[in-house]
Amino acid sequence: MHSFDKDADHVAVDKVLSYARERLLMDPIPLDGAQTEDYLRSAAGQTITREGLGSTRAMELFEHTLAPACLSTDHPRYLSFIPCAPTREAAAFDVVVGASSIYGGSWMEGAGAVYAENQALRWISDLAGLPESAGGVFVPGGTVGNLSALVVARHTARARAKEAGTGARPYRIAATDNAHSSVVSMAAVMDAEVCGVHVDDKLRLTGAELRKTLEEHGPETFFAVVATSGTTNFGVVDDLASVAEVCREYGLWLHVDGAYGGAGLAAPSVRHLFDGIEHADSFIVDPHKWLFAPFDCCALIYREPELARIAHTQEAGYLDVITKSAEWNPTDYSIGLTRRARGLPLWYSLAVHGTDAYVEAIESTLEVTRFAADEIGRRDYLEAVREPDLSVVVFRRLGWGPDDYQAWTDRLLGEEFAFVVPTTFRGETLTRFAIVNPHTTKEDVNAILDTMS
Ligand SMILES: Cc1ncc(COP(=O)(O)O)c(C=O)c1O
């Protein structure tokens, strides 16, 4: 398997790269869709065998059976959950990252990659108005980003309580019901408790409500507040300025989850919604959501990275050469040790296109979203649930119940026309467009809305 056979190696590599090339340049992209396990068992059969299938057969299986059984999240009419719409440069560069065996955990091993990733992180950090000293790391996704940040928040709060001799051992996180499900899940991983804060009439976390919750439960029991800059279901941006003020008053860590919406920082038309984010102690944004990078990538940034280094650095004799150095070692800023340089596809695309192209692309998705909201308002069989702040629109089809929404979703997917799943809010089934793909056009929106009449 590892012997060097120039001709055979070329063929094997070319086979994979030519598929990647074809997929990267495909236009239009097929929507495709999941198949049943029975179907896959009969179509693909047993793929792992003692002798191996050989590259021709294995690639054939992937191309003709397995790949078409995966939805194309970069399809312009994939509007469910949060789509993934990487630039061609970012997606292509992911192949380079895989091909290069770069270890992205330490400066000693991956200095060039770490340098480049840090420049991409700097761009994001500057958009948020964090100080020059801010820094962080690219992690696999928002869930890991939230967990890593909250671990630092708790570590710091407990160290400070110990130093002050208060005897407090903070174990609570304040967040609203609209915070992402990963916050509750990661709190469970940490054996922490999430304390619910009421939202205002715009579904936002506000300083006033936060204060009530802190006072009710005892501020000394909290180690962090999680605000969201772009909730997943609605794209709501919390009132970060008032929340930050209360956090400052109580000496509480403010973590801002911008996994989906953080990209809006780059868009002048919505930048004001994020006012106050410059006070965050930690902040995340997933470039695989609205910053046109491939899965999986979350930018995690700390106001004071040294606090994260103290909380996360793994100590072991064989790691001393790294951990005792003064260099920037990304692995010290999150959970996990071994690290793919997963920020490089974003870096490459940013380096190629420049940041203005990102501003333009994000604004274009916002424009299509506003168009969708207007169209929903114009059609007498549809009703918006809330005006979009960012690029998510939630609306109802008057007269429809849960089964109607599901049948509609199934029909559109069955025809490979679009992928739009229902959502629920306060017990009601609704539907939702998440528009982060610059290839999604106003015509796509109209075509989908027409199918609901
Ligand atoms: C606001 C928010 N936070 C966190 C996450 C979790 O991110 P990931 O799926 O990358 O773990 C998501 C995912 O949609 C999200 O929208």
Side-chain angles (χ1 to χ4, degrees):
M1 185 162 73
H2 287 90
S3 64
F4 190 70
D5 173 342
K6 212 168 162 215
D7 291 341
D9 286 351
H10 276 224
V11 171
V13 170
D14 285 350
K15 223 171 241 130
V16 173
L17 292 187
S18 71
Y19 173 82
R21 188 175 188 283
E22 207 174 294
R23 176 61 177 83
L24 287 163
L25 296 174
M26 211 174 257
D27 184 24
I29 299 161
L31 183 57
D32 295 328
Q35 298 286 355
T36 64
E37 189 162 359
D38 281 349
Y39 166 83
L40 288 172
R41 198 172 287 117
S42 77
Q46 181 60 31
T47 60
I48 308 295
T49 61
R50 284 194 66 184
E51 303 78 19
L53 303 179
S55 60
T56 303
R57 176 74 189 125
M59 204 57 218
E60 215 174 74
L61 265 176
F62 182 73
E63 183 172 352
H64 300 296
T65 308
L66 304 177
C70 301
L71 269 167
S72 301
T73 58
D74 53 348
H75 189 282
R77 291 185 187 171
Y78 180 118
L79 304 183
S80 297
F81 313 119
I82 307 286
C84 181
T87 63
R88 285 200 217 291
E89 288 75 9
F93 205 77
D94 207 36
V95 178
V96 174
V97 176
S100 308
S101 299
I102 295 167
Y103 180 73
S106 73
W107 187 269
M108 177 190 278
E109 291 148 293
V114 177
Y115 173 84
E117 284 187 313
N118 283 350
Q119 290 211 335
L121 288 168
R122 166 66 44 214
W123 174 60
I124 296 169
S125 176
D126 288 348
L127 287 175
L130 288 168
E132 190 61 27
S133 52
V137 56
F138 287 101
V139 296
T143 303
V144 176
N146 285 337
L147 174 61
S148 298
L150 290 170
V151 165
V152 179
R154 184 171 68 180
H155 193 276
T156 305
R158 288 187 177 172
R160 284 181 181 158
K162 194 168 170 194
E163 213 176 279
T166 63
R169 209 162 179 279
Y171 62 97
R172 284 190 168 127
I173 297 164
T176 73
D177 276 358
N178 292 338
H180 189 257
S181 49
S182 60
V183 173
V184 173
S185 293
M186 292 307 100
V189 168
M190 295 171 68
D191 194 20
E193 184 183 306
V194 178
C195 228
V197 185
H198 290 299
V199 290
D200 70 357
D201 56 359
K202 294 181 181 153
L203 303 178
R204 300 176 312 166
L205 167 67
T206 62
E209 285 298 335
L210 173 63
R211 184 193 303 282
K212 280 190 212 160
T213 301
L214 297 177
E215 287 300 332
E216 189 186 333
H217 297 276
E220 70 290 350
T221 63
F222 288 82
F223 64 83
V225 174
V226 177
T228 311
S229 61
T231 60
T232 323
N233 212 13
F234 280 95
V236 174
V237 182
D238 287 335
D239 181 7
L240 301 176
S242 71
V243 169
E245 210 175 298
V246 173
C247 286
R248 270 205 309 282
E249 186 186 324
Y250 287 94
L252 269 173
W253 183 284
L254 172 59
H255 173 64
V256 178
D257 177 355
Y260 149 63
L265 283 167
S269 69
V270 292
R271 177 59 182 84
H272 61 282
L273 296 173
F274 296 82
D275 287 352
I277 198 167
E278 65 278 11
H279 301 297
D281 293 291
S282 52
F283 164 61
I284 61 161
V285 55
D286 280 2
H288 68 222
K289 292 190 164 69
W290 198 9
L291 279 177
F292 321 120
F295 296 127
D296 43 15
C297 186
C298 166
L300 162 62
I301 298 170
Y302 302 94
R303 166 178 297 278
E304 288 184 59
E306 182 57 15
L307 299 175
R309 200 187 63 75
I310 293 167
H312 282 298
T313 300
Q314 295 190 23
E315 306 281 352
Y318 82 102
L319 293 174
D320 280 354
V321 286
I322 293 170
T323 48
K324 305 278 183 254
S325 76
E327 287 155 345
W328 186 271
N329 298 311
T331 197
D332 291 344
Y333 299 92
S334 67
I335 60 157
L337 183 63
T338 297
R339 202 187 149 259
R340 176 180 175 85
R342 55 174 34 83
L344 283 185
L346 171 68
W347 163 77
Y348 180 71
S349 183
L350 275 169
V352 169
H353 293 292
T355 57
D356 285 354
Y358 278 72
V359 173
E360 208 176 294
I362 296 164
E363 285 289 5
S364 78
T365 59
L366 286 164
E367 193 188 321
V368 173
T369 309
R370 289 173 198 135
F371 172 84
D374 288 347
E375 271 302 311
I376 289 160
R378 231 177 42 74
R379 295 172 186 241
D380 58 9
Y381 55 93
L382 300 176
E383 188 174 74
V385 175
R386 186 183 185 281
E387 282 303 303
D389 285 342
L390 299 176
S391 67
V392 173
V393 208
V394 180
F395 57 104
R396 59 176 64 86
R397 165 58 166 91
L398 298 171
W400 277 13
D403 293 345
D404 301 301
Y405 284 102
Q406 192 57 54
W408 172 72
T409 295
D410 294 345
R411 179 164 67 81
L412 296 198
L413 182 57
E415 292 167 1
E416 289 200 40
F417 183 79
F419 182 58
V420 191
V421 295
T423 186
T424 56
F425 179 63
R426 294 183 175 155
E428 182 184 359
T429 301
L430 302 157
T431 199
R432 167 182 173 278
F433 289 169
I435 299 173
V436 299
N437 186 341
H439 292 294
T440 303
T441 61
K442 294 173 182 173
E443 291 70 35
D444 289 320
V445 166
N446 268 335
I448 296 171
L449 295 179
D450 285 348
T451 64
M452 302 181 92
S453 67

